[in-house]
Amino acid sequence: MLEGIADDIAAQGGRAFYVGGYVRDHLLKASPGIGEDIDIEVYYLSREELHSILSAYGTVRLVGKSFPVLKISGHPQWDFTVPVDPGVSFAQACSRRDFTINSMMMDVLSGEIIDLYGGREDIVSSVIRHTSDDVFRQDPLRAYRAVHFAARLGFSIHSETLALIASTELSSVNRERIYNELKKLLLLAPQPSVGLRYMQTTGILQKMHPWLYQLIGCPQSPRNHPEGDVWEHTLLVVDQAARLKMESSYPEALMLAALLHDIGKPLTTRVTGDKVTTYGHDVQGERLVRIFLQELTHNKRLIDAAAVLVREHMHPVLLYKDRENVTDKALRKLVNRVNLRELLLLAEADFRGRTGERDFNAIKDWFYEKVSSLGLDLGQKIEPLVQGRDLIQMGWEPGPAYSQTLNYAFELQLEGKGKSFILEKLRQKSQS
C-alpha cells in the first residue's frame, strides 16, 4: 500500500522517502522499537496535495502543532509529513535530525539511500554521533535518546557528542517525555546498564535523578557485594532483569523495580567498623519509588506495582534462608501482598546481580513447591472465603465491627482454616 501511495505521489511530481529510524533499522536489519512510527517525508508537494492523495486510502487526520503529521485511519504507524520550508534541500532536512544514524533518507520506490552525514559509516563503526552542534539546544531530550540508542543498539557515543550532552541544560524537558525514553532504555536494551552508565558520565544522573545519583559511592558489605557500591550492584541487577523480563507479565514494572530496588539504601546505610547495615531500606525504598515515579508518570497502576515489588524484594531470599521456620501463614500473606511470580523475577535479578555466578534455582523451586502445596497461585491474591454477604446472613449490621470481623475471618483463612470453621468462630464471637 505504501508503494501505491508513493506511486501516486510520484505521478503528481512528488517524491516519498522513508526517513529517520526506519532507514537505520532497515540497514541494521532490526525491528522498530516500542511506539516508533514509520516516518515518510514527501517532497515537492504541498500538505494539501498530499492530503488529497492520502484521502484515497482512508480518512486522513492532521495531528501535531509544531510538526504537523498526516495519518491515515487504520494505519496509525505511518506518519506522513512535508518539509515546513518547501524549498528546503535534502542536506538541510537531514541536518535537522538528531544523530547521523537517523539522518538518512530512503526513496520508497527505488530504495535509493541519501546519506549526507555519514550515517552508514557510523552504523558500521557502531557510533552515535550528532549531526550538528545545536541538536541538543533544539531539543534537550535528545541527550536521553543518545544513551537509549547506545544501550539498545550496543553502540558507543562519540566523544564530541558526549561533551555536548554534558553541557546541555535539561531542566526544561517535559518529565513524561523523559520517562518515555527511560522506558525504551529499560525495555529495549539488552544491557540497560550501558545507557545508565552514560547517564552517569555525562552528568544526566546528577542533574536530573538525584535519588539514583546518591547510589554512587553508597557502600555495601564486601562479603555480600564484592561488585562494589550500590550503583554498581544496581547496574548488574538491571541487566539481569533485562534477561528475565520476557517471563514477566508486567515487564515495565519489573524493570523499574530492578532500577529502583535499593533506592532506599543511601538513607538507611550505617557503617560500624567492618559492618554495613541497611535496615529498613525496603520500606524507605517503597516511599522513594513513589516520589521518583510520580515526577515522571501519572500511571498509578505502574507506580503501585513497582513500589510494592521494591518493598517486598528481600523476602524471597530471607524466607528461603529461614525455610525451616517459615509458616504457611507467612507464605499466604506474602502471596496476598504481592504478585509472587513477579517478585521472584526481581529477587532472582537481585540475587544474581553480583560479581560471579549465583544459582537462584533452589530458592525458586522451593517457593513454587510450597505455594503449589498450599493450592495457591503465584500471580493471584487470595480470595476471601467469608464475604460481606455471609455476615449479613448471620445478622451482622454494617459498621466498624463489620470490617473488623471480615479482617478476623481472613486472618483465620491465612492460618489455613476452612470456611465452616471460620463461620463457626464468628458465630461464637457474636454470641460472646
Side-chain angles (χ1 to χ4, degrees):
M1 183 171 166
L2 276 176
E3 289 188 2
I5 294 172
D7 276 327
D8 291 346
I9 289 170
Q12 292 199 27
R15 193 173 179 189
F17 291 92
Y18 295 115
V19 295
Y22 180 88
V23 186
R24 176 200 70 227
D25 292 340
H26 171 77
L27 292 173
L28 285 167
K29 296 180 173 57
S31 300
I34 293 172
E36 291 196 8
D37 295 319
I38 297 176
D39 297 326
I40 301 103
E41 204 160 82
V42 177
Y43 286 79
Y44 314 130
L45 296 180
S46 68
R47 188 180 301 126
E48 291 72 24
E49 289 171 321
L50 176 59
H51 190 290
S52 177
I53 292 171
L54 297 179
S55 295
Y57 294 88
T59 302
V60 180
R61 60 190 178 93
L62 183 67
V63 299
K65 294 181 179 179
S66 301
F67 301 98
V69 173
L70 293 174
K71 285 184 170 287
I72 306 172
S73 60
H75 301 281
Q77 76 277 23
W78 297 343
D79 283 0
F80 292 88
T81 59
V82 297
V84 176
D85 177 2
V88 70
S89 67
F90 292 158
Q92 290 171 316
C94 292
S95 71
R96 295 171 183 171
R97 299 276 169 183
D98 48 11
F99 310 113
T100 60
I101 62 172
N102 296 332
S103 70
M104 295 171 285
M105 307 166 62
M106 184 170 75
D107 190 291
V108 174
L109 294 177
S110 69
E112 175 194 358
I113 293 179
I114 296 174
D115 177 15
L116 302 173
Y117 289 90
R120 276 190 285 200
E121 182 180 341
D122 283 344
I123 284 177
V124 171
S125 301
S126 301
V127 171
I128 307 291
R129 183 163 55 93
H130 59 284
T131 54
S132 63
D133 288 344
D134 64 348
V135 292
F136 298 115
R137 283 197 299 272
Q138 291 172 359
D139 185 359
L141 182 72
R142 288 168 168 172
Y144 282 90
R145 295 195 77 207
V147 303
H148 146 226
F149 280 128
R152 174 176 157 192
L153 302 176
F155 284 17
S156 61
I157 301 177
H158 193 279
S159 59
E160 293 178 4
T161 305
L162 286 173
L164 278 180
I165 293 173
S167 64
T168 297
E169 173 58 49
L170 298 168
S171 60
S172 63
V173 182
N174 177 279
R175 294 307 176 105
E176 290 193 0
R177 294 183 71 211
I178 289 175
Y179 178 70
N180 284 334
E181 290 302 318
L182 288 177
K183 179 172 72 172
K184 291 176 185 177
L185 168 62
L186 293 173
L187 293 181
L188 295 178
Q191 290 186 293
S193 64
V194 172
L196 293 168
R197 182 78 74 188
Y198 274 127
M199 288 174 64
Q200 174 189 354
T201 58
T202 58
I204 293 175
L205 217 59
Q206 185 175 9
K207 293 176 187 175
M208 302 298 291
H209 308 290
W211 290 113
L212 287 177
Y213 182 72
Q214 290 182 41
L215 302 182
I216 300 169
C218 184
Q220 299 190 111
S221 165
R223 182 171 65 87
N224 296 324
H225 290 279
E227 70 279 2
D229 63 23
V230 179
W231 178 243
E232 294 301 321
H233 170 60
T234 296
L235 295 180
L236 292 172
V237 172
V238 168
D239 285 351
Q240 289 290 342
R243 294 173 53 191
L244 296 167
K245 67 178 182 291
M246 294 301 294
E247 300 176 36
S248 171
S249 61
Y250 202 173
E252 191 174 346
L254 173 67
M255 293 305 298
L256 285 169
L259 175 65
L260 303 172
H261 77 287
D262 277 347
I263 198 171
K265 279 189 174 178
L267 292 182
T268 57
T269 296
R270 302 289 181 270
V271 180
T272 306
D274 295 333
K275 186 177 181 181
V276 181
T277 60
T278 58
Y279 300 128
H281 80 272
D282 47 350
V283 177
Q284 282 282 14
E286 178 187 13
R287 181 179 69 85
L288 295 179
V289 167
R290 293 184 186 279
I291 294 172
F292 182 94
L293 292 179
Q294 283 167 1
E295 292 179 352
L296 296 172
T297 177
H298 298 297
N299 188 334
K300 187 177 184 302
R301 173 175 174 258
L302 175 65
I303 294 171
D304 286 343
V308 169
L309 286 173
V310 169
R311 184 189 69 211
E312 304 288 348
H313 77 273
M314 296 193 302
H315 278 92
V317 173
L318 292 176
L319 289 175
Y320 177 76
K321 286 181 177 179
D322 194 37
R323 59 191 178 277
E324 299 301 327
N325 301 311
V326 171
T327 64
D328 292 346
K329 182 177 181 179
L331 287 170
R332 292 189 183 98
K333 291 181 78 169
L334 181 63
V335 168
N336 206 54
R337 289 197 309 267
V338 64
N339 184 313
L340 188 52
R341 184 175 285 108
E342 298 297 307
L343 183 63
L344 286 172
L345 292 174
L346 176 61
E348 180 172 356
D350 186 19
F351 187 79
R352 296 177 62 185
R354 325 281 168 104
T355 304
E357 287 292 321
R358 305 181 89 206
D359 188 1
F360 189 76
N361 287 330
I363 299 172
K364 183 164 57 177
D365 291 345
W366 180 78
F367 269 95
Y368 272 73
E369 181 181 342
K370 289 293 292 184
V371 170
S372 175
S373 70
L374 294 175
L376 303 176
D377 187 324
L378 286 164
Q380 296 291 330
K381 287 190 173 184
I382 298 172
E383 185 74 19
L385 294 174
V386 176
Q387 306 278 346
R389 58 179 176 271
D390 296 306
L391 297 189
I392 292 172
Q393 288 177 1
M394 294 173 63
W396 287 75
E397 295 290 337
Y402 190 81
S403 58
Q404 292 172 9
T405 301
L406 286 175
N407 291 337
Y408 172 68
F410 192 63
E411 282 295 315
L412 291 174
Q413 181 179 340
L414 292 177
E415 292 173 4
K417 308 302 183 185
K419 185 172 182 178
S420 297
F421 178 91
I422 296 171
L423 291 175
E424 181 57 34
K425 278 289 186 182
L426 296 184
R427 289 190 187 93
Q428 294 174 10
K429 186 178 179 68
S430 67
Q431 294 168 3
S432 61

